[in-house]
Amino acid sequence: MTIRYPNGKKYVPAQRSARVNKKNLSFSNRGKSLEDELNETNEYYLANNKAVIHKKPVPIQIVHVKYPARSAAVITEAYFRSPSTTDYNGVWKGKYIDFEAKETKNTTSFPLQNIHEHQVEHMKKVTEQDGIAFLLVKFAVLDRYFIIPYEYFEKKWERMIAGGRKSITLNEMEEISIEIKASFNPRLDYLAALDTILQRPE
């Protein structure tokens, strides 16, 4: 199936390696993508009445469908109807949650080119409405996870816009974020980290 962006450019998904290194399938489960880990976590939250948080569906406009059989339809071409906002949203303790999840193979910094301007604007608007917006970053090689509240991330974004550094260093990440330790159930307990963030003095 061909999927295109609103400008007509063809969408080419990132290729996931078919080879899995067995030594990475430890308790930390490094073979799993961040999306898989978050989906497992959200299922745990839902099953245990902790929160209702889901991955947002991608807005796609179907353009062409083939019918190889009466009972079967195959989508052969589609477009992204509009730029996506963030990856996940939902409700927790009566509060609206909205966040973007990103992985990087970099070991010393998180490149801000991984975030789009419309996503930053969306998180800003969520925060202005008293929602909780944040970035969840996985340093894949280091197997480390961080939650960056939007208000802290915004300062680094504005620094880049002003002509400054185009990434957040690992040292800065450790200063402005809450680090999450991967575990069994839930896999990534980011709600516990949010509790810590909300208890910070203004």
Side-chain angles (χ1 to χ4, degrees), residues 20-31:
V20 177
N21 189 340
K22 288 185 178 180
K23 69 181 180 182
N24 283 340
L25 297 179
S26 60
F27 174 75
S28 65
N29 216 342
R30 296 186 187 195

Side-chain angles (χ1 to χ4, degrees), residues 7 9 16 26-27 38 48 50 55 65 76 106 110 133 156 173 178 192:
N7 63 7
K9 185 178 178 182
R16 296 178 75 176
S26 60
F27 174 75
L38 285 171
N48 289 274
K50 299 283 186 182
K55 183 169 173 61
V65 182
T76 57
N106 200 317
F110 172 69
K156 304 306 180 186
M173 191 76 71
I178 297 290

Side-chain angles (χ1 to χ4, degrees), residues 1-200:
M1 176 179 71
T2 302
I3 300 178
R4 300 182 185 277
Y5 290 103
N7 63 7
K9 185 178 178 182
K10 186 176 178 181
Y11 167 69
V12 180
Q15 296 295 318
R16 296 178 75 176
S17 175
R19 297 192 330 179
V20 177
N21 189 340
K22 288 185 178 180
K23 69 181 180 182
N24 283 340
L25 297 179
S26 60
F27 174 75
S28 65
N29 216 342
R30 296 186 187 195
K32 288 201 173 185
S33 71
L34 179 57
E35 181 178 329
D36 291 335
E37 293 174 300
L38 285 171
N39 289 342
E40 284 183 12
T41 300
N42 291 336
E43 287 172 9
Y44 174 87
Y45 287 154
L46 186 62
N48 289 274
N49 296 317
K50 299 283 186 182
V52 180
I53 300 170
H54 296 286
K55 183 169 173 61
K56 296 178 187 177
V58 178
I60 290 179
Q61 175 68 50
I62 298 172
V63 175
H64 193 265
V65 182
K66 287 186 178 179
Y67 296 90
R70 239 174 226 267
S71 60
V74 178
I75 299 170
T76 57
E77 187 173 359
Y79 285 83
F80 288 114
R81 284 187 304 191
S82 59
S84 60
T85 53
T86 47
D87 289 329
Y88 294 87
N89 69 341
V91 182
W92 168 64
K93 290 185 176 179
K95 291 186 174 289
Y96 176 72
I97 304 289
D98 199 298
F99 68 97
E100 177 70 10
K102 292 292 185 184
E103 288 187 66
T104 180
K105 292 182 179 178
N106 200 317
T107 59
T108 59
S109 65
F110 172 69
L112 290 173
Q113 67 183 18
N114 290 348
I115 307 295
H116 301 289
E117 186 174 354
H118 67 269
Q119 294 175 319
V120 177
E121 184 63 24
H122 174 75
M123 288 190 284
K124 180 178 181 179
K125 289 184 182 299
V126 167
T127 302
E128 288 173 347
Q129 295 298 322
D130 288 330
I132 301 174
F134 59 93
L135 203 64
L136 198 159
V137 176
K138 176 182 180 178
F139 283 79
V141 176
L142 303 177
D143 200 34
R144 296 181 70 182
Y145 306 79
F146 297 91
I147 282 186
I148 315 171
Y150 173 73
E151 55 267 31
Y152 293 101
F153 168 77
E154 183 182 38
K155 294 175 183 177
K156 304 306 180 186
W157 181 264
E158 290 177 347
R159 177 179 69 181
M160 178 188 72
I161 298 300
R165 188 180 182 92
K166 297 180 180 180
S167 65
I168 302 175
T169 67
L170 182 59
N171 287 339
E172 289 177 326
M173 191 76 71
E174 291 169 342
E175 290 175 3
I176 67 175
S177 307
I178 297 290
E179 185 167 1
I180 307 170
K181 299 294 185 183
S183 59
F184 179 62
N185 254 337
R187 171 66 183 156
L188 298 175
D189 194 4
Y190 60 86
L191 293 184
L194 289 185
D195 256 333
T196 301
I197 292 169
L198 293 176
Q199 289 169 17
R200 285 176 172 176

